[in-house]
Amino acid sequence: MQPLQSEEIRRAVQAALAEDVGAGDVTTLATVPEAARIRAVMRAREPLTLAGITLAETAFRELSTEVQIEPLAHDSQHLRDGEMLL
């Protein structure tokens, strides 16, 4: 199996965001200042074999050009509950 090309990933992410986010979350738009900044960690909720980390990174970058991402795991890596992905 060949990995997805970057353009295929971008199109898939854009389609998913259009369906799930649309114009944005009304509550977030009403309550979170536009200039707000946050630091977050993405963790495994259960033991897993990671797949699609590039899709997650692309989704965050599609939503903000200012996002800074530090990948901490890679596709096909086996992770335990609570281990960090991004």
Side-chain angles (χ1 to χ4, degrees):
M1 178 181 285
Q2 293 187 350
L4 293 174
Q5 299 298 313
S6 60
E7 184 58 30
E8 293 172 305
I9 291 171
R10 192 179 67 72
R11 279 195 309 267
V13 165
Q14 287 177 336
L17 289 173
E19 180 181 324
D20 291 343
V21 177
D25 178 70
V26 176
T27 303
T28 301
L29 292 171
T31 60
V32 178
E34 190 172 325
R37 299 291 178 250
I38 190 168
R39 174 179 225 134
V41 174
M42 184 181 286
R43 294 182 184 270
R45 292 186 296 187
E46 59 188 46
L48 57 84
T49 300
L50 187 57
I53 195 72
T54 304
L55 290 162
E57 290 183 55
T58 302
F60 286 118
R61 287 195 172 100
E62 190 71 28
L63 292 170
S64 173
T65 58
E66 297 178 26
V67 70
Q68 296 177 13
I69 299 172
E70 180 182 354
L72 301 171
H74 55 82
D75 281 351
S76 77
Q77 184 174 344
H78 299 282
L79 300 167
R80 295 183 306 261
D81 178 23
E83 284 194 272
M84 294 188 289
L85 311 176
L86 295 173

